[in-house]
């Protein structure tokens, strides 16, 4: 493909990806806040200054001023208007789709295959949470720096242009200030000279870039340790630990990034079939990926390395594998799927027209299945949003005003997160405009604990919050 045709194709590809993502994620734009969104909003509203918000590390996290600065910028522009955050996250997702396309042109070496890869990533419902949930913005923002770093690194290794090396290292340094999971980008960087840089000069450049990346990671880890940042409450509570559960988590993540249609199957009454297929794939898919690594091309092998690097930081979690953690891995799944579909399409291009149409129909069916799964899951997120709004309204109906620093006890509150009640507490701090407000949500086994006379005690019953002695007339649907 000559340069003018390539530039024209790139422009058309970008326009197509914008249209595809807007159509695929349009349903999410009317969504409100939910769960941890309120914690972010409360911290922003009650922060003493922009600097304090951006520079203060998250509990149990590293120093991440880039991502926190991104959120503060959205809060400064949109306040507590969710559409500002929704549009920004969708724009970031579109940018990531284009970076997948650019990475695909370098790794797969075919623009049509790269466009297929970016399309599969765009609508892959395995990581819906990263787009639907505002508080999960960390993942698409970190992916921007991950993908931009890899694109710059690959282009530098191929061309040897020093400007690309410096810009790539700048992106890498910024990524280290986004999220700890960014460190895993070192893995595909280190694998690239082994798998794709076959010329001695290119391989040497690859090792130089990788070595500098290792040094930058060491500096970042040392700086966080020196500043006493990085102690994680997840580790302290045993939610993040090395063990055999990591193998089961890896198996689950691998299946979900390629077969995430749980909601679509359930919608048409085939939930049991999905479970059966899922369990079968837990055994078959690892074997298929190992075979692909052995017999596939260099691009497929490198994409598999990126896939493993994308999920590696999240394998030690002892909780159920979570959608948002699949975000970077879904970019690799797109590259793998795009490369395979492109190879199949080229083979069918030499066959009869009905076979070509059948191949195109299969591609369209996959994208439609992704879109259906996304639409169904959007309804689930809207339910969570309405539920939190209802709980805040219930509490305000019982206690329209509270003295500053008041405490309220809510019995039998479901565990929406690791800490029971943490999200509702933040939502009520916003509702009462009181950063000192405290919500006490004891575990259900402790619900019989007597409270002092006059204590503000509510109870969660029928998806509502009411006074302890009352029962809601209807359940929230």
């Amino acid at each position: 493909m000559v340069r003018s045709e390539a530039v024209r194709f790139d422009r058309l590809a970008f326009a197509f990806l914008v249209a595809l993502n807007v159509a695929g994620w349009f349903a999410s734009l009317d969504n409100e806040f939910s769960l941890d969104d309120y914690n972010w909003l409360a911290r922003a509203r009650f922060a003493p200054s922009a600097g304090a918000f951006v520079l203060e590390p998250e509990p149990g996290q590293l120093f991440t001023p880039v991502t926190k600065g991104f959120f503060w910028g959205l809060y400064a522009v949109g306040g507590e208007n969710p559409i500002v955050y929704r549009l920004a996250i969708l724009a970031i997702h579109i940018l990531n789709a284009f970076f997948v396309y650019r990475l695909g042109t370098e790794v797969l070496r075919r623009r049509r295959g790269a466009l297929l890869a970016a399309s599969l990533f765009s609508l892959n419902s395995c990581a819906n949470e990263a787009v639907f949930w505002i508080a999960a913005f960390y993942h698409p923002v970190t992916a921007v720096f991950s993908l931009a770093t890899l694109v710059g690194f690959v282009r530098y290794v191929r061309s040897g242009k020093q400007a690309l090396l410096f810009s790539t290292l700048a992106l890498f340094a910024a990524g280290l200030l986004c999220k700890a999971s960014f460190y895993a980008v070192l893995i595909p960087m280190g694998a690239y000279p082994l798998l794709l840089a076959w010329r001695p000069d290119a391989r040497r450049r690859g090792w130089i870039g990788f070595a500098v990346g290792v040094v930058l990671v060491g500096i970042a880890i040392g700086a966080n340790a020196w500043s006493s940042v990085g102690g994680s409450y997840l580790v302290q509570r045993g939610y993040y630990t090395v063990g055999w559960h990591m193998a089961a988590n890896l198996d689950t993540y691998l299946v979900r990034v390629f077969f995430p249609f749980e909601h679509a199957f359930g919608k048409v009454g085939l939930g049991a079939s999905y479970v059966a297929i899922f369990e079968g794939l837990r055994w078959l898919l690892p074997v298929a990926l190992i075979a692909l690594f052995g017999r596939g091309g260099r691009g497929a092998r490198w994409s598999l390395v990126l896939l493993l690097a994308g999920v590696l930081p999240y394998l030690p979690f002892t909780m159920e594998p979570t959608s948002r953690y699949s975000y970077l891995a879904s970019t690799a799944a797109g590259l793998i799927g795009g490369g395979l579909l492109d190879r199949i399409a080229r083979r069918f291009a030499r066959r009869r027209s009905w076979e070509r149409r059948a191949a195109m129909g299969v591609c369209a069916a996959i994208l439609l299945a992704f879109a259906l799964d996304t639409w169904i899951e959007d309804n689930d997120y809207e339910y969570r949003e309405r539920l939190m709004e209802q709980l805040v309204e219930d509490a305000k109906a019982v206690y329209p005003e509270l003295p500053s620093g008041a405490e309220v006890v809510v019995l039998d509150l479901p565990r929406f997160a690791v800490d029971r009640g943490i999200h509702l507490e933040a939502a009520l701090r916003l509702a009462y405009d009181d950063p000192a407000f405290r919500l006490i949500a004891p575990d259900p086994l402790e619900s019989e604990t007597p409270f002092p006379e006059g204590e503000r005690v509510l109870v969660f019953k029928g998806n509502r919050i009411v006074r302890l002695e009352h029962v809601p007339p209807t359940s929230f649907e």
Side-chain angles (χ1 to χ4, degrees), residues 9 101 104-116 342-343 345-346:
F9 191 94
Y101 169 76
T105 61
E106 299 289 344
V107 175
L108 303 177
R109 307 299 290 170
R110 281 185 55 83
R111 278 177 161 75
R112 289 178 176 82
L115 183 56
L116 278 170
D342 181 55
R343 181 179 298 182
R346 279 183 287 164

Side-chain angles (χ1 to χ4, degrees), residues 391 394-395 398 410 413 424 458-460 463-467:
L391 298 183
D394 289 342
V398 178
V410 179
L413 192 67
L424 182 56
L458 304 175
V459 62
F460 180 87
N463 285 335
R464 301 290 295 272
I465 286 181
V466 295
R467 289 185 186 274

Side-chain angles (χ1 to χ4, degrees), residues 304-329:
L304 283 168
V305 172
L306 177 59
L307 174 65
L308 293 175
V311 298
L312 182 62
Y314 308 108
L315 299 183
F317 279 107
T318 58
M319 295 91 76
E320 177 75 15
T322 305
S323 168
R324 62 187 181 276
Y325 296 155
S326 303
Y327 191 82
L328 184 60

Side-chain angles (χ1 to χ4, degrees), residues 216-368:
L216 291 176
V217 167
I219 292 173
I221 293 175
N224 279 284
W226 176 77
S227 59
S228 299
V229 176
S232 173
Y233 69 94
L234 292 173
V235 174
Q236 295 170 0
R237 300 184 184 187
Y239 292 116
Y240 195 84
T241 182
V242 176
W244 288 109
H245 64 283
M246 295 174 61
N249 286 345
L250 174 61
D251 213 16
T252 301
Y253 278 121
L254 290 179
V255 177
R256 284 185 178 177
V257 296
F258 290 104
F259 191 68
F261 309 118
E262 179 180 6
H263 294 85
F265 271 70
K267 185 70 173 179
V268 297
L270 297 175
S273 299
Y274 176 84
V275 172
I277 296 172
F278 188 93
E279 291 302 319
L281 288 175
R282 287 173 70 96
W283 296 95
L284 294 176
L285 189 60
V287 175
L289 295 179
I290 291 172
L292 180 62
F293 189 87
R295 300 180 61 86
R298 295 187 180 96
R301 292 174 183 173
W302 186 83
S303 300
L304 283 168
V305 172
L306 177 59
L307 174 65
L308 293 175
V311 298
L312 182 62
Y314 308 108
L315 299 183
F317 279 107
T318 58
M319 295 91 76
E320 177 75 15
T322 305
S323 168
R324 62 187 181 276
Y325 296 155
S326 303
Y327 191 82
L328 184 60
S330 68
T331 68
L335 290 171
I336 295 168
L340 291 174
L341 288 176
D342 181 55
R343 181 179 298 182
I344 294 171
R346 279 183 287 164
R347 180 172 299 178
F348 276 113
R350 297 189 293 268
R351 295 176 178 246
R352 291 182 291 272
S353 60
W354 72 267
E355 292 176 318
R356 293 199 300 271
R357 288 195 295 270
M360 293 176 61
V362 170
C363 294
I366 293 173
L367 292 178
L368 285 174

Side-chain angles (χ1 to χ4, degrees), residues 23-301:
W25 297 96
F26 184 80
S28 70
L29 295 181
D30 66 344
N31 292 5
E32 301 291 331
F33 299 112
S34 69
L35 300 180
D36 218 22
D37 298 346
Y38 292 104
N39 295 74
W40 279 95
L41 292 172
R43 286 196 293 269
R45 183 195 289 188
F46 301 124
S49 66
F53 178 87
V54 172
L55 299 178
E56 181 183 1
E58 287 297 292
Q61 298 291 331
L62 302 182
F63 187 59
T64 58
V66 171
T67 37
K68 295 196 73 176
F70 173 80
F71 186 89
W72 180 265
L74 295 182
Y75 184 79
V77 171
E80 295 170 21
N81 183 354
I83 188 61
V84 174
Y85 303 84
R86 299 290 177 190
L87 289 173
I89 292 173
L90 178 57
I92 291 294
H93 187 64
I94 292 172
L95 182 59
N96 282 327
F98 189 67
F99 277 134
V100 171
Y101 169 76
R102 295 302 305 168
L103 194 58
T105 61
E106 299 289 344
V107 175
L108 303 177
R109 307 299 290 170
R110 281 185 55 83
R111 278 177 161 75
R112 289 178 176 82
L115 183 56
L116 278 170
S119 301
L120 291 173
F121 161 73
S122 295
L123 298 185
N124 194 334
S125 55
C126 75
N128 276 349
E129 195 174 55
V131 181
F132 281 136
W133 193 14
I134 292 172
F137 75 95
Y138 259 78
H139 297 275
V141 171
T142 303
V144 166
F145 290 93
S146 301
L147 295 171
T149 294
L150 291 175
V151 170
F153 177 75
V154 169
R155 295 185 66 184
Y156 160 70
V157 171
R158 289 187 181 278
S159 68
K161 295 180 180 178
Q162 293 299 312
L164 281 173
L165 173 62
F166 295 131
S167 61
T168 298
L169 292 177
L171 288 166
F172 188 89
L176 293 173
L177 301 176
C178 285
K179 188 173 176 62
S181 60
F182 178 85
Y183 295 2
V185 172
L186 268 179
I187 298 174
M189 288 177 65
Y192 190 83
L194 294 173
L195 296 174
L196 287 168
W198 54 89
R199 298 197 318 266
D201 59 332
R203 184 167 293 183
R204 183 175 60 255
R205 288 192 294 267
W207 288 124
I208 290 173
F210 173 72
V212 176
V214 171
V215 172
L216 291 176
V217 167
I219 292 173
I221 293 175
N224 279 284
W226 176 77
S227 59
S228 299
V229 176
S232 173
Y233 69 94
L234 292 173
V235 174
Q236 295 170 0
R237 300 184 184 187
Y239 292 116
Y240 195 84
T241 182
V242 176
W244 288 109
H245 64 283
M246 295 174 61
N249 286 345
L250 174 61
D251 213 16
T252 301
Y253 278 121
L254 290 179
V255 177
R256 284 185 178 177
V257 296
F258 290 104
F259 191 68
F261 309 118
E262 179 180 6
H263 294 85
F265 271 70
K267 185 70 173 179
V268 297
L270 297 175
S273 299
Y274 176 84
V275 172
I277 296 172
F278 188 93
E279 291 302 319
L281 288 175
R282 287 173 70 96
W283 296 95
L284 294 176
L285 189 60
V287 175
L289 295 179
I290 291 172
L292 180 62
F293 189 87
R295 300 180 61 86
R298 295 187 180 96
R301 292 174 183 173

